[in-house]
Amino acid sequence: MTTPMVLAEGVRKSFGKLEVLKGIDLAVQPGEVCCLLGPSGSGKSTFLRCINHLEQINRGRLYVDGELVGYRQQGGRLYEQREHETAAKRAHIGMVFQRFNLFPHMTALGNVIEAPVRVLKQSKAEAVASGHTLLERVGLADKLNAYPAQLSGGQQQRVAIARALAMKPKLMLFDEPTSALDPELVGEVLDVMRGLAKDGMTMVVVTHEMGFARDVGDTVVFMDDGVVVEQGDPKQVIDNPQHPRTKAFLGKVL
């Protein structure tokens, strides 16, 4: 059987006395697009950040491509890895945030080539050539030398996607990538994500874009209050939800 790209087993996460994740079990197969839906505060973004160990889990196991991220297991117990070991694994997991987090003093191309040169030790020439290709891929071939302040929100988010792809990730995580955008700019970012899905990129996407989840997702997971309430085929979950909580949520957003 194929090793899942993401495998969560009983994942729990608390912030102080507040338990945000209450035992998440989830598997995402290679090449699959998994869309996480749910109300604010349901734990979706926290779970996403746990996948690449930006947040530490308190209990359970989280594997990416068959390996624990941030931990090593010895004698049935987990021990946190050193930061450089975690960073090496995290380098293969691309993440795109709500806010674009671009370096304001660097051009679009400069933002894209920074990590490959510093982390992957690519030559400047190789990184620049790849950067040109990636910015063309996201429709920004004419914005190589533009600074973030000169770009629209949708353009900045597409640079952020190109920057994540420059690290040649095997998994892409998207945390509500269109929520900070004006409505007319949402489509250009979703089109790039559709292209990635078509190319076979494994993606976990926290989103409120129901059309994208229905059309592009292979699996939809509805979360509420730190648990997975319902999951399955997007058309089944979105168009014919079985759980009352899923029905109530979708009734408000559709």
Side-chain angles (χ1 to χ4, degrees), residues 106-243:
M106 293 183 180
T107 64
L109 182 61
N111 269 278
V112 171
I113 69 173
E114 177 74 4
V117 170
R118 289 183 176 271
V119 179
L120 299 183
K121 306 303 180 185
Q122 283 184 7
S123 69
K124 181 78 173 289
E126 181 184 0
V128 166
S130 175
H132 278 255
T133 300
L134 288 169
L135 286 168
E136 182 178 0
R137 182 178 182 181
V138 300
L140 293 173
D142 60 336
K143 300 294 184 181
L144 295 173
N145 298 313
Y147 288 88
Q150 299 169 313
L151 300 173
S152 70
Q155 290 170 334
Q156 289 185 61
Q157 192 62 295
R158 284 185 281 156
V159 172
I161 293 172
R163 180 178 61 180
L165 292 174
M167 294 295 288
K168 302 178 181 178
K170 54 190 173 184
L171 168 67
M172 286 284 286
L173 309 176
F174 292 87
D175 188 6
E176 298 193 36
T178 60
S179 65
L181 300 179
D182 292 333
E184 65 268 23
L185 302 178
V186 169
E188 61 191 41
V189 173
L190 294 181
D191 284 345
V192 171
M193 295 171 64
R194 285 187 177 93
L196 292 178
K198 190 175 180 180
D199 291 344
M201 175 63 74
T202 310
M203 299 158 60
V204 182
V205 185
V206 174
T207 184
H208 291 293
E209 300 292 338
M210 296 299 158
F212 177 86
R214 182 192 283 112
D215 297 340
V216 182
D218 296 295
T219 304
V220 160
V221 177
F222 177 71
M223 291 178 60
D224 188 38
D225 195 27
V227 300
V228 172
V229 175
E230 189 167 349
Q231 61 180 304
D233 178 84
K235 292 180 176 61
Q236 171 66 38
V237 174
I238 294 174
D239 296 334
N240 188 28
Q242 300 302 301
H243 195 282

Side-chain angles (χ1 to χ4, degrees), residues 68-84:
L68 292 165
V69 178
Y71 300 96
R72 58 182 173 84
Q73 184 166 316
Q74 186 174 331
R77 297 187 62 182
L78 293 184
Y79 297 89
E80 192 156 8
Q81 291 182 319
R82 295 181 176 88
E83 178 56 33
H84 74 273

